[in-house]
Every structure is written in structure tokens, then in C-alpha cells.
Amino acid sequence: MELHLAPMEGVVNARMRALITAVGGIDRCITEFVRVSDQLLPPRVFHRLCPELENGGLTPSGVPVYIQLLGGEPGPMAENAARAASLGALGIDTNFGCPAKCVNRHRGGSVLLDEPELLHQIVKAMRAAVPDNIPVTAKIRLGFKDASRLRDIVTAISEAGANALTIHARTKEDGYKPPAHWQQLAQVHDLTTIPIIANGEVWSPADYARCKEQSLCSHVMLGRGLLARPDLALEIKSRLRGEDYQRHDWRTIMKLVEALFEDSLMNCAPRHVGGPIKQWLGYLRREYPEAQQLFERIKRLNTPADLSAAIGEHSSHLAMAA
């Protein structure tokens, strides 16, 4: 059983991958997408989105990172897959699930789900361009407007030679509205022998158990649930082993928040320093009331000095209350 960290555009970058995988429980990460149009991209593009290439394709805690490509033309997708592999990518993923209108207008992401034959051509070209020892995987949704072509999509990708397939259990039209239709995934296992990874609406160990039961998938990809509960993967695996588990308290999570802020101070322009921490607190406040309190305290602050003072004050109060 594997748990994967979802490639959430604009959220799960290298610094977030490092923080989340250090907590434990995650077996694989995937980068934000590399946008492929009609040309071979320079190495710096891949290194920018996947700095883990300098570490053998691993996060600092040793979790493999696959590079994700997004595009709609077999030739350029294959060329850029080969380049990613030559740079040391441990696997190449393909984004056929992005619902963003700006992406779909340019023939990328979930709009391609209405063209199973094109999906087949893209994956087949990529598989042929990448050494056999490097997995080529894909991520899809149930369909574009509905799930009527799901079996065709899965067959097309599987027969093209993909090594694994992640299915976000909603259509493009569903967006991110609950529920995730996990039961739809149960119908495709007879079409292929490759691993099917379920994705969508797993916020707790109980959700994981229901997802596994309804989808018949052993492997699950975690996205927003893992950002709201950084130790969610760790708890799921601990409970599967029959171990008692004490979920991380806010003081423990706050250490991660502080680490993210320190990274932002070093790597972001001063006017953007508060962005990453505010964004993450937006997820954390679902599970931690203290995250909401901190968010309210800093949401209108912009300067590094003001943010540092407010975060330091919050941490001091936690230490005194311990």
C-alpha cells in the first residue's frame, strides 16, 4: 500500500514537499506541472520545478519525486519526457486532470479526456521515449462532463504502456465539490493490471478506509487532506499496522509552519514572504483552531518584520502554555 502526495499547482512546491515528507508516511511525490507546448524546454525549467533533481530525484527525507508534464501533443510531450529522464527524474507523470479553464482552452489537462485516442498517442510516445526503468504514469479525472468514457480512457492509457494511473474521482464539471465518487473506480480494475491510485476527499483515516472499500484501490493520493493534517499519511499507516496513534498537536505543527516561514524569508521577495504561510494556514485551520487564530493575526500583515513579530508572539504564547 502506497500513499502519494498530490501535485497541487501553486501549493505543493519543493519546500512543501520537503516539509510534508519529513513528517512521514508518504511514498511518492509529483511536481507541479511542467507546461509543454511545441518545443523542447531547457533544463532550467525542470530544475526550477523539481530542485530535487540535485538530490537524486529525492526529497531531503528520501521520498522519490516524479516530474509531471502537461500538454496535448505527443511529439513535444515525448521529447520533454526524454529530457526529464536524462536530467535524473525518477518517473514521469502526465496531467490529464487539471480543470483550470486557461489550461483547458490551450488543449491541456482534463479537456483531453474527451479524446481517449489522443491520450493513448501521448502516453505511447512518452513511454517509447523514456528508458524502460523509469515509470511513465498518468493522472486523470472520471471524465470531462461526465464519466461515460471512463473505461475507454483507462483502456487507452493502460494499452499505451503506462505504469500506473491515478484517478481523481470527480469529473472536470464536478471541480472540487464533494463528494468524490470512489465507487466509479471499482469498475475499471478489470481493464488493466497496472496500479490504480484513488484520489479525492480523503481527509481522515476513516475516509481512507471508505475510499479503499468503495474504489477497490490499495493506493491513495492525498492532497488537501494532507495539507490540513500533515501527519495524516503517518496516522493512516500506523492504524493499518494496528498501532495506537496520537495525532500531532498544534505545537508540533507550528514548528513546520515556522520552518516554512524561515524558508520564505530566505527565498521569497520581501513583499511575498507572507504568501506561503497564509496559504497553508488556510488549509490547516480546517483541523486546528489555532491556525485560524494565527491567520486572523497575520492576514493583513505584509512586511517580513511585522510577520516575524506576530509569528514569534504566537509561538511564545504556545511555549508558555505548554
Side-chain angles (χ1 to χ4, degrees), residues 6-274:
M8 299 174 62
E9 179 68 14
V11 182
V12 182
N13 52 24
R15 68 170 68 95
M16 186 59 71
R17 292 193 292 269
L19 287 170
I20 294 293
T21 57
V23 175
I26 291 296
D27 299 289
R28 182 189 304 167
C29 300
I30 301 172
T31 67
E32 300 166 277
F33 64 75
V34 176
R35 186 65 167 103
V36 175
S37 54
D38 59 354
Q39 59 184 324
L40 180 61
L41 296 168
R44 67 176 182 274
V45 174
F46 298 92
H47 282 277
R48 177 172 56 83
L49 287 171
C50 187
E52 294 95 343
L53 289 171
E54 299 294 335
N55 188 44
L58 304 171
T59 68
S61 53
V63 177
V65 181
Y66 286 15
I67 289 181
Q68 186 181 80
L69 305 183
L70 182 149
E73 297 295 333
M77 287 288 281
E79 290 178 343
N80 283 281
R83 168 148 289 178
S86 72
L87 294 173
L90 298 180
I92 314 295
D93 190 60
T94 312
N95 183 326
F96 297 133
C98 180
K101 292 181 180 179
C102 60
V103 170
N104 292 170
R105 279 199 304 269
H106 294 89
R107 287 183 59 75
S110 58
V111 71
L112 301 179
L113 296 173
D114 276 343
E115 302 180 63
E117 179 54 36
L118 178 57
L119 302 183
H120 177 89
Q121 293 172 9
I122 292 171
V123 174
K124 184 177 181 180
M126 293 172 64
R127 180 66 278 173
V130 172
D132 292 343
N133 64 310
I134 298 178
V136 172
T137 62
K139 187 171 188 288
I140 66 171
R141 285 174 172 253
L142 297 177
F144 191 70
K145 292 185 176 180
D146 56 50
S148 61
R149 306 198 72 176
L150 178 60
R151 290 179 65 84
D152 293 336
I153 293 166
V154 172
T155 298
I157 292 173
S158 175
E159 292 184 352
N163 298 99
L165 176 63
T166 300
I167 305 178
H168 183 151
R170 286 181 275 229
T171 66
K172 185 271 182 186
E173 292 295 305
D174 292 332
Y176 294 95
K177 299 188 299 289
H181 305 285
W182 300 320
Q183 70 280 1
Q184 295 271 21
L185 277 59
Q187 65 171 298
V188 303
H189 291 282
D190 64 315
L191 301 175
T192 182
T193 59
I194 66 174
I196 302 292
I197 299 102
N199 175 226
E201 290 299 310
V202 176
W203 298 91
S204 67
D207 290 338
Y208 166 81
R210 287 192 294 271
C211 175
K212 183 177 178 181
E213 178 183 9
Q214 294 179 28
S215 69
L216 305 182
C217 295
S218 296
H219 310 311
V220 171
M221 176 175 282
L222 305 172
R224 293 175 298 163
L226 197 58
L227 293 178
R229 279 279 316 278
D231 65 332
L232 176 58
L234 195 61
E235 180 174 4
I236 289 171
K237 288 192 170 179
S238 295
R239 293 193 180 281
L240 286 175
R241 292 192 296 266
E243 301 169 357
D244 290 332
Y245 186 84
Q246 184 67 41
R247 62 177 290 179
H248 288 184
D249 61 15
W250 176 244
R251 279 188 292 272
T252 303
I253 300 301
M254 188 59 198
K255 293 177 182 177
L256 300 176
V257 174
E258 290 175 310
L260 177 62
F261 183 64
E262 291 299 322
D263 184 279
S264 300
L265 285 172
M266 292 186 293
N267 296 298
C268 295
R271 66 182 182 278
H272 297 313
V273 162

